């Protein structure tokens, strides 16, 4: 029996791809080599696969994925009908792979997340963990701005009640049990980093070093990071609304105090028309009102999207090669 235990060992690597034509073939070769070594060491089953998820790429990413699948049956491809976003692409891959795999690991196509950490993921899984989080050792590879915004992001998320593990992105392992449970979560506004910990399964952490991106540019722009932060806060916590209530109470108390002071000045005959005071109070109240409406509006918008129950993604096609017959298979599926 392998030193890694006797749990079922079919592994699927799920790799979300958006305009990754520059480095996809190199990434596929590195991943293929790593899976081959894991199979030889009897850490995973020979049935293990690498599943690329094409998230509506505008370049030749899907064409490259199809060619890879035809060259080697270890690869399979899943094509979404449009760009559904990173979180939906990951979810579609996990739920599809979970039908065939005993464990699924999500990893980015740029290989900045150290693929050698897979050994640690599998070991933790064999010891009984249903979820294994990949956490980066440090942020030394990031620039000052990226490091500062990332630090603020995690601190703000935890301050506002969203249970997010610091320095954990979307490099993680989920067992079939965890994926089956995740499938029961139907919300449209996805924030997997906060959602998965709420399932409560036994979990573990594997630390890894971040590598330099070998090809292409990061597709995770500042705008997308801000959107992810907003989705994370409003999807996982109602604390911003509670803070608005508290702030409204504080401002109300301040307003009452100002009214009392004004009345005392008027009764004592020292009341002088205060243009500055009036402007400050008016602008403060107006700003607070607009800000509060904006936050409440975010929650109303999320409710609106949820009530429509539109699919989180639509799978246009899935491609794989039968390992025994060598025949190509291709099919379409409904959205989730």
């Amino acid at each position: 029996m392998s030193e890694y235990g006797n749990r079922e060992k079919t592994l699927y690597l799920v790799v979300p791809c958006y305009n990754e034509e520059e480095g996809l073939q190199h990434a596929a070769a590195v991943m293929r080599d790593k899976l081959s070594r894991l199979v030889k060491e009897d850490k995973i089953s020979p049935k293990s696969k690498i599943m690329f998820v094409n998230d509506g790429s505008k370049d030749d990413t899907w064409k490259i994925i199809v060619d890879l699948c035809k060259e080697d049956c270890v690869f399979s491809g899943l094509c979404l009908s449009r760009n559904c976003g990173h979180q939906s692409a990951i979810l579609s891959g996990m739920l599809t792979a979970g039908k065939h795999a005993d464990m699924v690991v999500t990893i980015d196509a740029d290989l900045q997340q150290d693929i050698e950490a897979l050994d640690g993921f599998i070991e933790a899984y064999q010891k009984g963990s249903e979820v294994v989080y990949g956490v980066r050792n440090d942020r030394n590879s990031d620039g000052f701005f990226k490091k500062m915004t990332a630090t603020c992001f995690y601190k703000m998320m935890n301050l506002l009640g969203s249970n997010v593990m610091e320095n954990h992105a979307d490099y993680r392992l989920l067992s079939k049990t965890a994926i089956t449970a995740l499938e029961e979560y139907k919300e449209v506004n996805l924030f997997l980093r906060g959602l998965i910990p709420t399932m409560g399964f036994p979990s573990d952490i594997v630390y890894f070093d971040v590598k330099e991106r070998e090809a292409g540019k990061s597709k995770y722009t500042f705008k997308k990071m801000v959107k992810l932060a907003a989705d994370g806060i409003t999807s996982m916590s109602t604390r911003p609304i509670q803070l608005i209530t508290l702030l409204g109470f504080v401002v109300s108390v301040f307003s009452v105090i100002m009214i009392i002071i004004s009345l005392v000045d008027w009764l004592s005959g020292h009341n002088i028309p205060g243009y500055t005071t009036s402007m400050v109070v008016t602008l403060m109240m107006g700003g607070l009102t607009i800000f509060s409406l904006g936050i409440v509006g975010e929650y109303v918008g999320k409710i609106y999207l949820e009530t429509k129950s539109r699919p989180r993604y639509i799978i246009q096609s899935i491609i794989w090669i039968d390992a025994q017959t060598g025949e190509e298979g291709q099919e379409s599926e409904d959205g989730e």
Side-chain angles (χ1 to χ4, degrees):
M1 182 178 66
S2 169
E3 61 175 318
Y4 275 67
N6 56 6
R7 298 184 77 182
E8 296 298 321
K9 298 184 292 185
T10 300
L11 167 69
Y12 269 53
L13 276 182
V14 170
V15 189
C17 303
Y18 178 68
N19 295 343
E20 296 287 353
E21 65 176 1
E22 293 180 26
L24 189 56
Q25 289 179 322
H26 171 70
V30 173
M31 294 176 187
R32 178 69 178 91
D33 176 68
K34 180 59 180 177
L35 251 64
S36 296
R37 285 186 277 133
L38 290 172
V39 170
K40 288 180 181 179
E41 295 167 6
D42 194 30
K43 295 176 181 178
I44 62 174
S45 165
K47 297 179 181 178
S48 299
K49 284 184 174 290
I50 300 167
M51 176 178 284
F52 294 108
V53 180
N54 178 40
D55 185 22
S57 298
K58 298 177 182 178
D59 59 8
D60 288 333
T61 296
W62 179 241
K63 181 179 180 299
I64 295 172
I65 292 172
V66 172
D67 290 341
L68 287 169
C69 293
K70 291 179 179 179
E71 292 170 7
D72 194 331
C73 62
V74 74
F75 298 113
S76 61
L78 186 154
C79 185
L80 303 184
S81 61
R82 61 179 177 83
N83 179 235
C84 298
H86 188 250
Q87 298 292 286
S88 292
I90 290 175
L91 182 69
S92 66
M94 287 196 299
L95 296 187
T96 303
K99 299 174 183 177
H100 313 282
D102 303 305
M103 48 182 163
V104 174
V105 174
T106 55
I107 184 171
D108 290 343
D110 57 20
L111 291 181
Q112 286 189 282
Q113 298 160 329
D114 187 9
I115 198 168
E116 296 301 325
L118 284 178
D119 298 77
F121 281 93
I122 298 167
E123 183 177 1
Y125 164 78
Q126 290 293 355
K127 289 180 178 178
S129 295
E130 305 293 345
V131 180
V132 185
Y133 301 100
V135 176
R136 56 194 296 171
N137 284 316
D138 54 56
R139 307 198 72 92
N140 293 335
S141 61
D142 292 340
F144 172 76
F145 180 75
K146 179 69 178 294
K147 188 184 298 185
M148 180 186 66
T149 53
T151 301
C152 292
F153 168 77
Y154 287 110
K155 290 187 180 300
M156 180 178 66
M157 293 296 290
N158 288 306
L159 178 66
L160 294 177
S162 183
N163 184 24
V164 177
M165 188 173 300
E166 189 169 356
N167 290 331
H168 164 64
D170 289 295
Y171 190 21
R172 67 174 74 85
L173 177 149
L174 267 69
S175 68
K176 181 183 284 289
T177 300
I179 290 176
T180 301
L182 182 62
E183 197 168 6
E184 298 299 316
Y185 289 73
K186 301 299 183 182
E187 56 253 53
V188 174
N189 303 287
L190 285 173
F191 184 63
L192 295 173
R193 302 182 198 182
L195 185 62
I196 290 174
T198 65
M199 296 193 295
F201 288 111
S203 62
D204 203 347
I205 295 174
V206 171
Y207 294 93
F208 67 93
D209 294 319
V210 176
K211 298 183 176 182
E212 294 293 332
R213 188 181 180 95
E214 298 189 20
K217 297 180 180 179
S218 174
K219 309 304 184 300
Y220 231 73
T221 62
F222 178 71
K223 179 181 178 181
K224 289 184 178 180
M225 287 191 288
V226 171
K227 183 180 183 302
L228 179 67
D231 286 343
I233 293 169
T234 54
S235 297
M236 303 302 301
S237 173
T238 58
R239 191 165 294 178
I241 291 181
Q242 296 170 351
L243 290 176
I244 287 177
T245 304
L246 177 61
L247 185 59
F249 174 76
V250 171
V251 171
S252 298
V253 171
F254 175 75
S255 300
V256 170
I257 293 174
M258 289 297 296
I259 291 172
I260 293 174
I261 291 175
S262 298
L263 288 174
V264 171
D265 286 343
W266 178 70
L267 291 173
S268 61
H270 298 116
N271 187 23
I272 299 174
Y275 174 78
T276 302
T277 302
S278 299
M279 286 298 295
V280 169
V281 173
T282 301
L283 290 173
M284 182 179 66
M285 292 298 295
L288 176 61
T289 301
I290 294 173
F291 178 70
S292 302
L293 285 174
I295 292 182
V296 174
E298 281 290 318
Y299 281 93
V300 173
K302 292 291 190 295
I303 295 170
Y304 172 66
L305 291 174
E306 295 291 345
T307 55
K308 289 193 294 185
S309 299
R310 289 181 178 176
R312 294 172 289 193
Y313 56 84
I314 298 175
I315 298 176
Q316 180 174 318
S317 60
I318 303 174
I319 183 170
W320 75 96
I321 303 296
D322 191 290
Q324 295 180 340
T325 65
E327 295 181 356
E328 177 183 340
Q330 192 157 348
E331 64 181 49
S332 298
E333 287 197 0
D334 295 331
E336 273 285 342

